Amino acid sequence: MVKLLDRLRKGYGRKLVMLHAWNGWIVVALAVTGLILLGGFWREILGEGRVWIKEIHIVVGIGSLVPVLYYLLLAGKHWKQLRDKPWQRFNVLFVLALLVGWLASGVLLWQFRAVGPRWSNPALTVHDLLTWIGLPYIIYHSITRTQWLKEPNRRTVSSGRRPAQEELHPASMPQPFYTRRSFIRGSIAAGLAVLIGPSFLKWIGKSLGGSIGGNSMEQLLESDSNDLVPAPLPLAASSPPIGGGSSGHFRVYTVTPIPSFDNNNWSFTVDGLVEKKLQFTWEQFVKLKRKVQVSDFHCVTGWSVYHNTWEGIPLRTLLAEAGVKSEAQYIKFYSGDGVYTDALSLEQVKVQMSDVMVAVMHDGKPIPSDLGGPVRLIVPQMYAYKSVKWLVRIELIADSHVGYWEQRGYSNDAWV
Ligand SMILES: Nc1nc2c(c(=O)[nH]1)N[C@H]1C(S)=C(S)[C@@H](COP(=O)(O)O)O[C@H]1N2
Ligand SMILES: [Mo]
């Protein structure tokens, strides 16, 4: 064992350089895949590829443990070497802390099913926060460490001989306060701040509950592209909401452009293996008797919105109204986006879940188009990919149906 450690420590300088390079590439791979996973934008384009990218991100993320552990073997020597370089020592500690933080929160997110939302929610916040801090830092670090910026004087030395340290920074000669190098570094830092700053502030604002950058639910309601009249009037239990108002923020997820509906292009259907097919116009649909319930909303990627007050029609009521035929085993849900579908078994709805709801209002307000309005499904006891947005059709079927994300690798078992 001791021999092995010795051998690993040999060729130390070369190994540090190699480690640094490996670590760099790992960070690049994680940054690219991570940013794709973060951006709602890519959901629309990637589909199944997104699940692959998630797998790659997880595997590479776990793999990042290897250079970290390897470095720790060499760390003692390296640390002594950096005795007079406090800035480089800080850099080492900072990058190590980043990697370990990313790794720990990443493992919790990966194992969201085992740990539940109580752990995966804070893990996502930490993972995002480290990204906002760490990525600009690492980009800055890698740009300013390129040879050209690191040793600008070197290019002015005409001979091929590598100049001695004293020649580069003669102690006797006072360095001008604004060197070209510090100017370029400053510009890069400023550029990064301008590029990343606004999104960072927006994220902070959201994480702290909308105190900075406006309340996003209000913005979503304001930018509602649906135009359905009359607007639904909230029941007393919705206004003010008995849940006391939701806490947390919905991330707007969609695999298509956000569809818009009005009285002419919206209708709601319950069909398939039913005694009586139901079809509603909006005017008819808003007259249906609604109920109010409070529930939490959990996405598999780690975020949740707590105690939402939903107002709508219990799925069981609609099924009873249509009369389910005995051959029916499953319920298939269609989104008005024309692409997204999901399914529940009839058994799950009839026996296990009385709270599956065809929701029309959230916290006493119409559901904005970004969040699946005018009507979306809510399945509180399952992960939110079951909660089909822009719900327009419910079909009773005999054979199982594999939903949009389940076809692309999500678990068919979505119980929270
Ligand atoms: N039509 C449709 N419904 C959908 C989705 C979607 O992309 N399209 N995404 C699902 C997923 S994965 C989640 S987490 C929730 C997100 O709901 P929100 O966009 O209102 O936050 O909607 C679910 N329903
Ligand atoms: Mo989700």
Side-chain angles (χ1 to χ4, degrees):
M1 186 66 195
V2 177
K3 259 191 189 153
L4 180 73
L5 287 185
D6 267 359
R7 205 174 306 149
L8 282 172
R9 287 199 190 97
K10 268 197 200 115
Y12 156 85
R14 204 162 24 90
K15 273 173 190 154
L16 267 188
V17 171
M18 187 195 73
L19 259 183
H20 191 244
W22 270 105
N23 204 37
W25 285 113
I26 285 176
V27 167
V28 168
L30 288 173
V32 170
T33 50
L35 289 174
I36 288 174
L37 291 171
L38 185 76
F41 166 74
W42 290 97
R43 289 190 167 238
E44 215 177 302
I45 296 169
L46 283 172
E48 180 165 2
R50 198 183 155 277
V51 178
W52 277 102
I53 285 171
K54 194 170 174 175
E55 300 287 316
I56 294 170
H57 189 79
I58 290 170
V59 171
V60 177
I62 295 167
S64 72
L65 194 58
V66 176
V68 170
L69 290 179
Y70 197 6
Y71 173 76
L72 290 180
L73 283 179
L74 310 172
K77 192 167 175 189
H78 191 216
W79 197 246
K80 271 185 217 136
Q81 213 176 36
L82 298 182
R83 216 172 4 238
D84 305 323
K85 296 173 176 162
W87 179 243
Q88 286 195 34
R89 278 190 164 185
F90 166 79
N91 178 60
V92 167
L93 284 183
F94 189 74
V95 171
L96 274 178
L98 266 177
L99 290 174
V100 169
W102 265 323
L103 198 70
S105 55
V107 166
L108 289 175
L109 286 169
W110 168 44
Q111 290 301 326
F112 69 92
R113 198 171 268 286
V115 301
R118 278 188 71 214
W119 285 96
S120 60
N121 287 184
L124 181 64
T125 307
V126 169
H127 214 71
D128 282 358
L129 181 64
L130 291 179
T131 303
W132 282 117
I133 299 169
L135 214 51
Y137 179 85
I138 289 170
I139 293 171
Y140 173 80
H141 173 92
S142 38
I143 296 177
T144 56
R145 288 300 183 86
T146 55
Q147 282 304 344
W148 178 65
L149 279 166
K150 205 172 158 190
E151 298 174 45
N153 300 340
R154 202 172 143 185
R155 290 172 302 138
T156 62
V157 177
S158 49
S159 78
R161 176 182 61 93
R162 195 189 171 95
Q165 197 61 25
E166 308 81 71
E167 282 177 283
L168 292 176
H169 304 289
S172 53
M173 218 202 281
Q175 290 283 307
F177 184 65
Y178 287 114
T179 59
R180 175 164 162 200
R181 175 168 38 155
S182 70
F183 173 75
I184 294 174
R185 283 191 178 178
S187 316
I188 292 169
L192 279 172
V194 168
L195 275 178
I196 296 166
S199 336
F200 178 59
L201 285 180
K202 211 170 133 196
W203 178 84
I204 292 269
K206 276 191 188 170
S207 304
L208 296 181
S211 47
I212 309 169
N215 185 313
S216 79
M217 184 54 88
E218 273 160 27
Q219 281 168 3
L220 291 175
L221 280 162
E222 231 160 75
S223 64
D224 190 353
S225 60
N226 289 332
D227 181 20
L228 292 138
V229 283
L233 291 176
L235 294 167
S238 258
S239 161
I242 46 171
S246 58
S247 71
H249 287 269
F250 291 96
R251 298 190 177 192
V252 176
Y253 282 173
T254 179
V255 295
T256 62
I258 307 263
S260 310
F261 298 98
D262 56 39
N263 291 58
N264 293 321
N265 69 1
W266 191 88
S267 69
F268 195 90
T269 309
V270 183
D271 62 357
L273 300 170
V274 293
E275 304 293 347
K276 184 180 69 172
K277 173 180 170 180
L278 307 178
Q279 184 130 36
F280 304 95
T281 63
W282 175 256
E283 290 88 335
Q284 294 164 333
F285 196 82
V286 275
K287 286 190 194 137
L288 297 179
K289 191 165 171 297
R290 296 193 292 267
K291 283 198 168 170
V292 176
Q293 72 186 33
V294 179
S295 61
D296 298 338
F297 187 92
H298 305 289
C299 172
V300 287
T301 58
W303 57 269
S304 300
V305 183
Y306 294 93
H307 39 84
N308 304 281
T309 302
W310 298 106
E311 179 176 324
I313 303 132
L315 179 60
R316 284 181 180 179
T317 307
L318 281 172
L319 295 184
E321 173 101 12
V324 177
K325 286 189 175 164
S326 58
E327 310 96 89
Q329 296 290 330
Y330 293 90
I331 315 168
K332 180 175 175 185
F333 304 95
Y334 293 80
S335 169
D337 64 16
V339 172
Y340 201 90
T341 60
D342 216 313
L344 296 170
S345 76
L346 202 53
E347 161 110 0
Q348 285 168 340
V349 173
K350 272 167 79 175
V351 182
Q352 292 158 287
M353 296 189 282
S354 59
D355 55 357
V356 181
M357 177 177 264
V358 175
V360 183
M361 307 193 81
H362 175 267
D363 283 353
K365 304 252 167 58
I367 299 170
S369 52
D370 283 359
L371 300 186
V375 170
R376 80 175 295 168
L377 190 68
I378 293 300
V379 186
Q381 299 180 52
M382 292 190 171
Y383 280 106
Y385 58 90
K386 290 283 177 185
S387 294
V388 175
K389 297 163 72 168
W390 311 292
L391 182 68
V392 292
R393 181 179 171 204
I394 297 173
E395 186 189 15
L396 277 293
I397 55 178
D399 298 321
S400 63
H401 165 73
V402 183
Y404 182 91
W405 280 119
E406 289 89 331
Q407 279 173 37
R408 292 160 179 81
Y410 279 33
S411 171
N412 219 346
D413 166 23
W415 295 101
V416 174

